[in-house]
Amino acid sequence: MQLTFDAEVEAFRTEFTAFLDTHLPAEADTAERSHSTADVPVWARRWQRLLFDEGWLLPGNPPEFGGRNATLMQSYVHLEELSRRRIYHSFNPQGLGIIAASLLTFGTDEQKRRWAVPILRAEMTAALGMSEPGAGSDLASLSTRAELAGDGSQFVVNGQKVWTSGAHDADVLLTFVRTDPDAPKHKGISCLAIPTDTPGVTRRPFGSLTAPDDLDFNEVYFDDVRVPAQNLVGPLNEGWRVAGGSLGHERTLLWLSFSDRMDELLRDFRPLTDLDKDWYATLAMDAQALRLLGLRALARAARGEQDVPALSVLKLLGSEAVQKAAERALEAAGPDGLAHPATTAPYAYMHWEDFAGSWFQRYARTFAGTIAGGTSEIQRTIVAERVLGLPRG
Ligand SMILES: Cc1cc2nc3c(=O)[nH]c(=O)nc-3n(C[C@H](O)[C@H](O)[C@H](O)COP(=O)(O)OP(=O)(O)OC[C@H]3O[C@@H](n4cnc5c(N)ncnc54)[C@H](O)[C@@H]3O)c2cc1C
């Protein structure tokens, strides 16, 4: 087994680290904080724009979309170097990783020009309108309706989304709607790009346990919202394919962020008792297992053998191992875990709040990983049926 990268990939890494060493924003310029996943401070917009212009934003993209036609392995070391420095390439992760990526895959040239490129250049931010009060894990049950009006030039949208991260700060919503109520539920769904200033769109941000001061979640209501037919992304009634592609964009290298969290926990968790040491050893083994499995999946994808259901194993292992380790670190810290900062990791001035906090806060944040992008129960079902081939329950 080869666990090193070839010379071409290492040369790519060297070029990128030289860029980072020269161009990282100075600490004095980064005081402005981000308050939601679609709120991008001015300095961070400048940073993302620089990455776009230099082809370092999403290196796998062609130059006109912020990349340099890099290979998958090169894209991986790019993320490794970013996370080593605890830098985001964008403070609107769903805009960059899901929405712009979906528009580049499924959108028309006009949609790419109007939304994808401005999102990539940090001139616009975007939010993802999938989940509804009655459709989370079972996304295909969504009931927000879009009806073609009169001459077919407009959709009229009515319904509600929930958990829409950053919607109150976003310029555009990638929204999944039901366009054929009579078709089987996976078949009557379409995808619309809806600018948030369209009359009839109401966004109501609400707090969460982990960020009571920074509102990120939203309920979004659509009341007779008129959307031009040219905002349809992908073919009519084929939104399920777009949704699958959107989440696929999110999943490919998702395990890497869990791997980073595990490395941070290994640095910060201070085992004192024998039991703590046992937990610490479990964390160390889980971290190693995730990295090896992740690299194996990466090598397969680089050979063109990508196995999408197998990515569920990585998501499940990564998110749950992080959660278990944070819970145990909290227990080991005792009552102090509620109050005191729990980080000893290097100070990361660009977004230190993501890494700092009490052990309780760090534990509470891990629930995002086991719920968003498909809950652990849903991942287990995928692993059972599509990876292990067990009979359907
Ligand atoms: C941090 C975060 C950010 C998010 N951002 C967005 C966003 O930007 N846009 C968006 O659209 N959504 C977003 N979501 C919503 C997310 O996609 C949903 O929370 C998720 O899909 C689960 O849906 P639900 O909350 O409705 O739970 P439900 O689907 O109601 O599930 C409730 C419980 O039942 C279990 N369950 C459900 N069905 C099954 C089954 N078939 N078998 C076994 N168990 C089952 C689930 O595992 C869960 O434990 C976000 C969520 C989080 C936590």
Side-chain angles (χ1 to χ4, degrees):
M1 191 184 350
Q2 185 198 342
L3 284 179
T4 51
F5 295 102
D6 60 30
E8 202 189 329
V9 175
E10 288 305 336
F12 181 91
R13 187 198 299 275
T14 305
E15 194 184 342
F16 185 47
T17 53
F19 169 85
L20 290 174
D21 292 344
T22 315
H23 293 290
L24 271 187
E27 180 165 3
D29 297 333
T30 60
E32 193 190 348
R33 311 314 309 174
S34 159
H35 295 288
S36 83
T37 53
D39 172 41
V40 185
V42 174
W43 66 265
R45 286 183 190 256
R46 255 188 254 124
W47 164 241
Q48 185 178 327
R49 176 63 193 262
L50 176 69
L51 289 168
F52 178 95
D53 288 344
E54 299 294 324
W56 288 122
L57 183 66
L58 294 168
N61 283 358
E64 64 273 28
F65 300 127
R68 45 181 65 212
N69 293 315
T71 64
L72 187 58
M73 289 299 177
Q74 289 170 332
S75 297
Y76 171 81
V77 299
H78 169 262
L79 285 181
E80 233 182 22
E81 290 307 320
L82 286 173
S83 66
R84 188 164 291 159
R85 288 167 180 74
R86 298 184 169 207
I87 313 161
Y88 289 137
H89 39 354
S90 169
F91 280 72
N92 177 217
Q94 66 275 17
L96 191 80
I98 303 177
I99 296 153
S102 303
L103 288 164
L104 293 183
T105 307
F106 297 99
T108 60
D109 287 346
E110 170 60 11
Q111 290 169 348
K112 290 176 195 169
R113 190 196 58 76
R114 189 162 164 214
W115 294 301
V117 171
I119 292 167
L120 294 171
R121 284 157 51 140
E123 294 157 356
M124 256 188 188
T125 59
L128 182 67
M130 282 186 165
S131 308
E132 297 184 0
S137 301
D138 184 15
L139 183 64
S141 292
L142 63 86
S143 62
T144 294
R145 286 281 306 273
E147 289 171 70
L148 269 175
D151 58 358
S153 66
Q154 286 185 331
F155 289 97
V156 179
V157 182
N158 281 286
Q160 186 202 336
K161 298 288 171 183
V162 72
W163 313 118
T164 325
S165 302
H168 60 304
D169 287 319
D171 300 295
V172 64
L173 299 169
L174 193 73
T175 313
F176 290 83
V177 291
R178 185 157 303 284
T179 35
D180 184 352
D182 300 322
K185 63 181 187 176
H186 291 81
K187 299 217 165 126
I189 294 172
S190 300
C191 177
L192 295 176
I194 305 183
T196 51
D197 59 2
T198 312
V201 176
T202 308
R203 295 163 285 166
R204 291 203 191 135
F206 60 96
S208 71
L209 180 68
T210 52
D213 301 324
D214 288 343
L215 304 181
D216 196 30
F217 286 138
N218 278 252
E219 294 175 319
V220 183
Y221 295 87
F222 301 91
D223 294 303
D224 286 331
V225 176
R226 293 187 168 267
V227 180
Q230 63 263 32
N231 290 21
L232 177 70
V233 179
L236 187 69
N237 296 325
E238 287 191 31
W240 192 248
R241 206 158 56 83
V242 181
S246 301
L247 294 178
H249 288 303
E250 191 186 31
R251 276 187 199 138
T252 312
L253 282 170
L254 189 66
W255 63 272
L256 196 55
S257 64
F258 295 121
S259 183
D260 289 341
R261 290 284 187 256
M262 284 163 144
D263 289 346
E264 283 146 21
L265 283 161
L266 282 168
R267 243 184 330 239
D268 296 342
F269 183 172
R270 292 296 159 93
L272 295 174
T273 66
D274 285 348
L275 188 58
D276 294 347
K277 287 177 190 159
D278 198 42
W279 287 342
Y280 189 86
T282 302
L283 166 63
M285 287 186 286
D286 284 347
Q288 186 67 2
L290 180 66
R291 187 158 287 276
L292 292 174
L293 284 170
L295 287 171
R296 195 176 70 158
L298 187 73
R300 291 189 62 183
R303 291 197 299 268
E305 299 167 17
Q306 185 146 359
D307 181 358
V308 174
L311 296 175
S312 291
V313 177
L314 301 175
K315 200 227 168 205
L316 186 62
L317 169 62
S319 61
E320 295 207 341
V322 166
Q323 191 163 79
K324 257 183 271 154
E327 184 181 12
R328 285 160 178 182
L330 170 62
E331 279 177 31
D336 282 354
L338 292 174
H340 293 282
T343 182
T344 56
Y347 174 57
Y349 62 84
M350 283 194 233
H351 59 133
W352 54 268
E353 52 277 80
D354 267 15
F355 299 96
S358 68
W359 275 119
F360 173 72
Q361 283 168 315
R362 286 179 71 170
Y363 170 58
R365 282 184 207 138
T366 66
F367 284 84
T370 52
I371 299 171
T375 65
S376 285
E377 288 78 11
I378 296 301
Q379 304 303 327
R380 282 197 167 80
T381 301
I382 295 172
V383 172
E385 291 177 355
R386 296 173 57 196
V387 178
L388 301 174
L390 299 178
R392 292 173 77 89

